[in-house]
Amino acid sequence: MKNRFRILAIMLIMIILTAAGRKEQKPLNLIIFIGDGMGTDQVYAGMTASGFNMTFPAFPVTGFSITYSANRYITDSAAGGTAISTGEKTNNGMIAVRPDSTEIPTIFEIARKAGLSTGAVSTSTITHATPASFIAHDASRGSYEEIAKWFLKGNADVFIGGGINHFSARSDSADLTVDLKKMGYDVVYNLPDLKNSRSSRIAGLMAEEGLPYIDEGRDPDFLAAATAKALEVLSQNKKGFVLMVEGSQIDWAAHDNNMKRTVEEVLDLDRAVKIAYDFARKSGNTLIVVTADHETGGLSLTGGSIEEKTVSGTFGTKGHSAVMVPVFAYGPGASSFSGVQDNTDLFHDFMKLLSLKK
Ligand code: MG
Ligand code: ZN
């Protein structure tokens, strides 16, 4: 009789263990890449120019994200970023607030409350709409100096981008870098100092405004090196981290209808993804999601050559377009990102996979 109980107990434990084993593994760390303005044509232009040698288009899971905002069929980066960072649609121009201007908690704020570390890297000013959507709350994306003040809340342990002027050359003559230093941030202004920093909190202010285009002087290593440094710092936290890396200037190049720069900026983003991918492969517990806030330029590839790795296209607009944007995912939880989803669903997937609660 005793033996029969023991056998039943063992069988029960085995059933429970098997069921647990079937549950998809959850990530500890999340790295979100936002190619601002990066539609499928921008990605395929990069793939062609690279000789099909890009990292993120080879990710095992792909999907699409629907990008309309609360008040416009065609979103801007503020509402697009807010959808991804908060799970709620808002009006164009608004940063992590609802159309009635009430604040919406961002994934950075929620993750930090749960003990995770957070970071943002961008080739625009760090106060620009996309990174700001994760760190600040403001009804107007253009309030850069107000947005800069939000960084004093410590919502990002590491932030690297442009925007010195919004911290140190302000209309109220305050120097926010003084406060940042008091908070333990190592404030650095160039790539060598960034690479050499040993601080657990880093404010990398790498240009007065946005960083220049690569052909106008931006180090082609900047985004990848900044991503590597952010990963080095954030991965010290055993509770995990959330990192957002933005390829900001895909959008700018596409607004200019500049095909060459559009391709360069997509490949620049991919170099940063490669750094994250190598980290994720080693760590085994890191989810990478690469997507866009919207497409810019209404780009249509109308010619090119696989042999010569060239591509030509026509732009249908100087603004943004309404098309769905691609989503690429790698790592534990990646399968949540297959198929067509609303941009707000990305946030809810992140929350669920990281076991975070509002
Ligand atoms: Mg942006
Ligand atoms: Zn734009």
Side-chain angles (χ1 to χ4, degrees):
M1 204 56 183
K2 228 181 177 181
N3 257 339
R4 195 176 292 169
F5 270 121
R6 194 171 292 161
I7 289 165
L8 271 171
I10 288 168
M11 279 174 68
L12 197 65
I13 288 165
M14 281 175 67
I15 289 165
I16 290 165
L17 284 178
T18 312
R22 267 202 212 109
K23 245 175 66 182
E24 197 179 8
Q25 204 198 333
K26 282 189 163 186
L28 183 72
N29 312 311
L30 168 65
I31 310 173
I32 306 164
F33 283 91
I34 299 181
D36 198 316
M38 187 175 72
T40 47
D41 283 55
Q42 282 83 352
V43 175
Y44 192 62
M47 290 167 69
T48 305
S50 74
F52 294 99
N53 198 25
M54 281 175 67
T55 296
F56 70 78
F59 279 4
V61 175
T62 53
F64 283 100
S65 166
I66 295 169
T67 68
Y68 69 90
S69 73
N71 70 333
R72 292 283 186 273
Y73 185 54
I74 297 176
T75 190
D76 79 329
S77 291
T82 297
I84 298 169
S85 69
T86 71
E88 295 189 31
K89 286 191 188 284
T90 192
N91 291 347
N92 284 11
M94 295 186 134
I95 303 288
V97 296
R98 300 184 180 90
D100 67 3
S101 292
T102 53
E103 291 173 12
I104 322 169
T106 75
I107 188 162
F108 275 22
E109 291 166 327
I110 297 162
R112 279 185 53 79
K113 265 193 196 150
L116 284 74
S117 292
T118 55
V121 177
S122 174
T123 50
S124 61
T125 63
I126 202 66
T127 44
H128 213 259
T130 310
S133 301
F134 289 79
I135 292 159
H137 303 274
D138 202 294
S140 170
R141 60 179 286 175
S143 309
Y144 294 120
E145 296 187 355
E146 285 304 308
I147 288 168
K149 283 190 196 162
W150 278 94
F151 287 76
L152 303 182
K153 300 253 181 198
N155 285 340
D157 300 288
V158 178
F159 56 92
I160 307 163
I164 295 170
N165 288 352
H166 307 150
F167 289 84
S168 304
R170 298 164 53 87
S171 51
D172 62 5
S173 32
D175 185 354
L176 305 189
T177 62
V178 173
D179 305 87
L180 287 169
K181 282 174 196 157
K182 277 186 201 149
M183 293 169 71
Y185 282 91
D186 187 8
V187 183
V188 296
Y189 298 97
N190 58 61
L191 207 49
D193 286 351
L194 175 69
K195 286 181 178 174
N196 288 330
S197 179
R198 292 287 165 267
S199 178
S200 60
R201 278 186 146 181
I202 301 177
L205 298 172
M206 317 298 278
E208 287 178 358
E209 296 287 338
L211 279 86
Y213 283 118
I214 290 172
D215 62 24
E216 288 181 343
R218 185 169 97 238
D219 190 326
D221 187 36
F222 163 72
L223 195 62
T227 301
K229 177 53 76 175
L231 289 173
E232 180 191 310
V233 172
L234 299 177
S235 62
Q236 301 302 313
N237 188 339
K238 298 297 164 231
K239 286 189 168 173
F241 65 83
V242 180
L243 170 64
M244 191 288 297
V245 179
E246 184 199 17
S248 320
Q249 302 190 17
I250 301 165
D251 176 67
W252 303 358
H255 275 295
D256 286 346
N257 291 180
N258 184 320
M259 191 66 199
K260 182 179 160 282
R261 281 179 176 166
T262 299
V263 168
E264 265 172 15
E265 293 297 333
V266 169
L267 298 180
D268 187 54
L269 181 69
D270 194 59
R271 284 193 290 275
V273 176
K274 173 73 164 60
I275 297 289
Y277 175 64
D278 290 342
F279 173 89
R281 265 198 316 183
K282 258 185 237 150
S283 82
N285 56 12
T286 303
L287 169 66
I288 305 176
V289 175
V290 183
T291 188
D293 46 359
H294 54 75
E295 194 272 349
T296 302
L299 178 58
S300 174
L301 301 185
T302 46
S305 159
I306 296 293
E307 292 75 27
E308 290 162 26
K309 301 179 185 175
T310 56
V311 60
S312 59
T314 56
F315 290 89
T317 174
K318 291 264 181 184
H320 300 168
S321 78
V323 290
M324 296 190 293
V325 291
V327 181
F328 307 87
Y330 170 86
S335 63
S336 300
F337 299 91
S338 72
V340 176
Q341 282 184 302
D342 194 77
N343 54 4
T344 55
D345 290 331
L346 299 171
F347 169 87
H348 297 293
D349 289 337
F350 297 152
M351 292 284 287
K352 204 162 136 194
L353 289 166
L354 293 173
S355 307
L356 294 173
K357 289 203 174 65
K358 264 196 182 182

